Amino acid sequence: MTIQRPRRSLTLRDVSDAAGVSEMTVSRVLRNRGDVSPATREKVLTAARSLGYVPNKIAGGLASQRVNLVAVVIPSLSNLVFPDVLGGISAELEDTGLQPVVGVTNYAPAREEAVLYDMLSWRPSGVILAGLEHSRASRAMLQNANIPIVEIMDVDGTPIDTAVGISHGRAGREMAAAILRAGYRRIGFIGTHMPEDHRARKRLAGFEAALAEQGVQLAAREFYQGGSSLAKGRELTERILAREPDLDFLYYSNDIIGAGGLIWAREQGFDIPGRLGLAGFNGVDLLDGLPVRLATTDARRLDIGRRAARIVAGRDPRPDGGVVALAPTFLPGDTIRLA
C-alpha cells in the first residue's frame, strides 16, 4: 500500500473555513492572544485538531524552510529499550547535519498529542516515533506534516508513512514454539496491564495463538501496573508460583522483570531449566551480568534506530509498501531446556 503525503501544507485559511471564523480569529486563538470568546476558542481548536493543523513557529523569513531537527518521540527514558534505539538514531545522523530532539510521552496518548504539536510547530525535517497506535489528532497532525514519518518498533499494522521494526506477533509465536519444543506444558505469563502497551499485547496474542494450535493454554497470568523492575519481577514470580506451584515455565513481557524472577528462583533453589524454565523479551545488556543467561528475544533495537534514521535522512529510500520488517531473534540462553 502506497501512502501519499499531502501535496500542500495546511494553512490558517483551512482552519478558518472549517471553524467558520476569520483567519485573524484563528491566529489569535492559536497564539493565545486577543479577546476571543471561550465558545469561539473551542470551535477553532476543535477544527485545528480535526484537520491536524499545527502552527509554524519558525520566524517569518524562514517560514518556507525546515530546521535541521528530527523529532524523536518515545514512551520512556527509564525503559532500557529506548536508549539503544536513540543510540542507533544518533549514530546514523551524526554526519548528516540533522540533530535528534527527544520527546517523551509516558505511554499516554494525550501526552503524545502535546509533544507532537510542539515539535511539529518547529517544522522538523522528519519524525521518528514509537508504535503504530496513535490518537485521531496525532494521526491527523502526522498525516499533514508533509515530511518523512517513521514509526518504529512494530510492523503489525498499517503505517502512516513508513514503519521500521519487528512483528511482535511473530516474536510471541516463535517463543511459544521454542518453549513447546523443549517439552514445557504448564506455562505462566507475567507482564504489564496492556491498555497502552500495544506491543506487549501483540506478543501475548501471538504467544497464546501458537500455544493453542498445539492444544496448550496458559495455565496462569500475573499482571502489574507501573514501571518494570527487578523487585517487581521477584515479587510477581513468587506470587504466581505460590498460586500455581506446578508451573514449569514462566514467560515475562520484558527482560527486567524476567531477570528479577530468575534471581528469585535461583535463591529458592529451583532447578533451572530442568524444573522451571524462564524467558523474557528484548535482549538488553543487563542480562550479560546475570549468573546465568536468561532466554529472550533480540528485538533489534539498534538496527531499528539506524534504519529509521537512514530513511529520515534520505540515505535509504522509502521501502515498497512502507514497511521495513526486521526478524526477531530467539536467544536460548541458559534458562530453557535444549530441544
Side-chain angles (χ1 to χ4, degrees):
M1 176 180 179
T2 301
I3 301 172
Q4 300 293 329
R5 297 197 183 108
R7 294 183 178 179
R8 67 174 181 84
S9 298
L10 293 170
T11 66
L12 285 179
R13 170 61 64 86
D14 295 310
V15 180
S16 70
D17 288 347
V21 300
S22 69
E23 291 182 49
M24 182 63 72
T25 298
V26 172
S27 177
R28 287 173 178 166
V29 170
L30 296 179
R31 290 185 295 119
N32 201 26
R33 295 180 180 176
D35 185 16
V36 180
S37 72
T40 299
R41 180 177 300 277
E42 182 58 31
K43 185 186 298 184
V44 170
L45 293 176
T46 298
R49 281 194 298 267
S50 64
L51 291 173
Y53 177 80
V54 179
N56 190 339
K57 288 184 179 178
I58 301 176
L62 298 175
S64 63
Q65 302 177 16
R66 298 283 176 190
V67 297
N68 66 333
L69 302 178
V70 175
V72 181
V73 183
I74 59 175
S76 171
L77 284 173
S78 61
N79 188 326
L80 292 179
V81 170
F82 293 105
D84 285 344
V85 177
L86 294 175
I89 293 170
S90 180
E92 203 60 50
L93 293 180
E94 187 170 349
D95 59 351
T96 66
L98 297 172
Q99 295 293 331
V101 177
V102 179
V104 180
T105 68
N106 299 320
Y107 292 94
R111 175 61 183 162
E112 183 178 78
E113 286 181 22
V115 169
L116 285 171
Y117 186 85
D118 286 341
M119 285 185 156
L120 289 172
S121 70
W122 291 104
R123 296 303 188 264
S125 295
V127 176
I128 299 172
L129 74 163
L132 295 168
E133 288 77 18
H134 314 286
S135 70
R136 183 177 299 177
S138 290
R139 292 187 69 84
M141 285 188 282
L142 292 166
Q143 287 166 340
N144 287 290
N146 202 24
I147 55 176
I149 306 293
V150 183
E151 294 162 285
I152 58 172
M153 313 304 289
D154 189 5
V155 297
D156 293 324
T158 302
I160 292 169
D161 181 7
T162 305
V164 177
I166 66 167
S167 165
H168 288 263
R170 173 182 171 181
R173 294 183 68 89
E174 291 182 354
M175 180 61 76
I179 292 168
L180 293 175
R181 281 197 306 271
Y184 300 100
R185 290 298 181 272
R186 291 284 299 168
I187 302 164
F189 173 81
I190 297 176
T192 61
H193 282 287
M194 300 179 178
E196 303 303 337
D197 195 345
H198 302 287
R199 293 178 290 282
R201 173 175 49 79
K202 293 172 185 178
R203 283 197 306 278
L204 179 57
F207 186 75
E208 289 193 272
L211 293 181
E213 289 169 6
Q214 300 301 317
V216 177
Q217 292 186 331
L218 276 181
R221 308 161 189 257
E222 196 72 40
F223 295 102
Y224 66 95
Q225 293 181 318
S228 301
S229 67
L230 294 176
K232 186 69 70 176
R234 294 171 61 95
E235 172 193 340
L236 296 176
T237 301
E238 180 178 13
R239 184 186 305 169
I240 199 171
L241 288 173
R243 193 173 74 249
E244 300 286 346
D246 62 341
L247 294 178
D248 62 7
F249 202 96
L250 293 176
Y251 180 39
Y252 299 84
S253 64
N254 64 61
D255 289 338
I256 303 305
I257 56 171
L262 172 58
I263 293 169
W264 180 87
R266 281 176 55 86
E267 289 174 352
Q268 304 307 307
F270 278 87
D271 171 15
I272 300 171
R275 161 67 182 83
L276 181 67
L278 307 167
F281 176 82
N282 273 319
V284 298
D285 292 341
L286 169 73
L287 303 184
D288 296 338
L290 295 176
V292 295
R293 294 171 301 159
L294 180 69
T296 188
T297 299
D298 178 0
R300 308 287 300 277
R301 301 177 305 282
L302 187 65
D303 293 337
I304 288 170
R306 283 186 173 275
R307 295 292 292 273
R310 289 185 66 83
I311 291 169
V312 166
R315 288 181 160 177
D316 287 347
R318 180 178 180 273
D320 291 340
V323 175
V324 177
L326 305 178
T329 305
F330 172 62
L331 305 174
D334 305 309
T335 62
I336 185 170
R337 293 192 294 255
L338 297 177

